[in-house]
Amino acid sequence: GQNIDQPTEMTATEGAIVQINCTYQTSGFNGLFWYQQHAGEAPTFLSYNVLDGLEEKGRFSSFLSRSKGYSYLLLKELQMKDSASYLCALSLTDSWGKLQFGAGTQVVVTP
Amino acid sequence: NAGVTQTPKFRVLKTGQSMTLLCAQDMNHEYMYWYRQDPGMGLRLIHYSVGEGTTAKGEVPDGYNVSRLKKQNFLLGLESAAPSQTSVYFCASSYSRRDQSTDTQYFGPGTRLTVL
């Protein structure tokens, strides 16, 4: 099976930077996704890492290290609207298309 | 494009009642999924479909049935609802034969189900 671990909650101040870590144990995967989910809403796609390294999209960046079983999502210049749950998910190689999700990290942005 | 839509948005059932949740997508996606989301447990896959007329079990299939008679629709049925099925249900779709570059899943707005 696949174990995906994320911190349950993180708090940061508006304008600051927060790094959400995701560690996993798996025999193989196609890539790693990050989704954002506001309370009461659907998850929305943020980023997808296939190769090791950093992918940058505006204020959000995602990093993957396959050898270390580790990914992180970096949120810069935090805004109040970034208060949400952030979900890490693996695209499994044994069944293309299926995702295995972590429990999510609730980020609370304070003024 | 509406993307992925789900009906109903909210539902309250009594134990033993049955119901069907409808998911529809207009992105011509091949794959469709049903998840449930419970506090502290993340999204768990119930059933999925890799094409019209095909379905497969996910991580937590017991107590649910599905059907994919049309490519754009994926139905989730509860034959005899139990309080343990109180949850938020999300439908998702992915994979277009035109764009095979990613397997990004796109989610519907969710159905909030309470079983008393």
Side-chain angles (χ1 to χ4, degrees):
Chain A
Q2 295 80 22
N3 295 324
I4 302 174
D5 293 313
Q6 305 178 234
T8 303
E9 186 172 311
M10 303 181 74
T11 302
T13 307
E14 198 173 9
I17 298 173
V18 69
Q19 178 175 313
I20 306 167
N21 295 329
C22 171
T23 58
Y24 57 85
Q25 294 176 331
T26 181
S27 56
F29 64 100
N30 298 315
L32 189 145
F33 286 89
W34 284 96
Y35 280 81
Q36 179 189 58
Q37 186 178 23
H38 285 102
E41 298 183 7
T44 56
F45 169 74
L46 282 180
S47 68
Y48 181 50
N49 291 70
V50 176
L51 303 176
D52 284 4
L54 190 67
E55 294 277 345
E56 296 188 81
K57 282 189 178 182
R59 294 189 299 112
F60 293 3
S61 303
S62 58
F63 173 83
L64 175 65
S65 169
R66 287 178 177 264
S67 60
K68 295 183 179 178
Y70 166 66
S71 171
Y72 67 74
L73 181 69
L74 195 68
L75 285 63
K76 295 180 264 188
E77 301 170 14
L78 277 174
Q79 302 176 9
M80 298 300 291
K81 67 179 182 180
D82 297 329
S83 290
S85 183
Y86 292 85
L87 312 177
C88 170
L90 294 174
S91 172
L92 307 176
T93 52
D94 62 348
S95 182
W96 193 91
K98 286 171 64 178
L99 298 182
Q100 181 77 37
F101 283 86
T105 299
Q106 184 67 44
V107 171
V108 177
V109 181
T110 59
Chain B
N1 284 354
V4 181
T5 58
Q6 293 181 232
T7 52
K9 288 186 168 52
F10 302 92
R11 186 71 186 269
V12 178
L13 290 178
K14 294 181 179 178
T15 297
Q17 287 184 319
S18 63
M19 77 163 294
T20 300
L21 283 67
L22 172 63
C23 175
Q25 53 93 5
D26 62 2
M27 295 175 282
N28 202 33
H29 281 164
E30 300 294 329
Y31 295 5
M32 297 187 74
Y33 314 82
W34 275 107
Y35 292 91
R36 59 178 290 172
Q37 187 174 40
D38 303 292
M41 300 193 73
L43 287 158
R44 292 183 293 167
L45 184 64
I46 304 171
H47 286 281
Y48 65 102
S49 168
V50 300
E52 182 179 324
T54 71
T55 62
K57 294 180 179 179
E59 184 185 355
V60 287
D62 294 343
Y64 306 95
N65 57 76
V66 288
S67 64
R68 182 108 180 262
L69 299 179
K70 293 183 179 181
K71 184 177 182 179
Q72 62 269 34
N73 296 337
F74 196 28
L75 278 64
L76 178 70
L78 285 72
E79 290 186 349
S80 180
S84 61
Q85 294 178 304
T86 293
S87 187
V88 181
Y89 291 86
F90 287 101
C91 175
S93 70
S94 70
Y95 184 57
S96 166
R97 293 189 186 276
R98 275 191 183 180
D99 177 11
Q100 301 178 26
S101 59
T102 75
D103 44 358
T104 303
Q105 291 186 16
Y106 298 88
F107 286 81
T111 296
R112 281 143 189 82
L113 175 66
T114 301
V115 183
L116 302 175

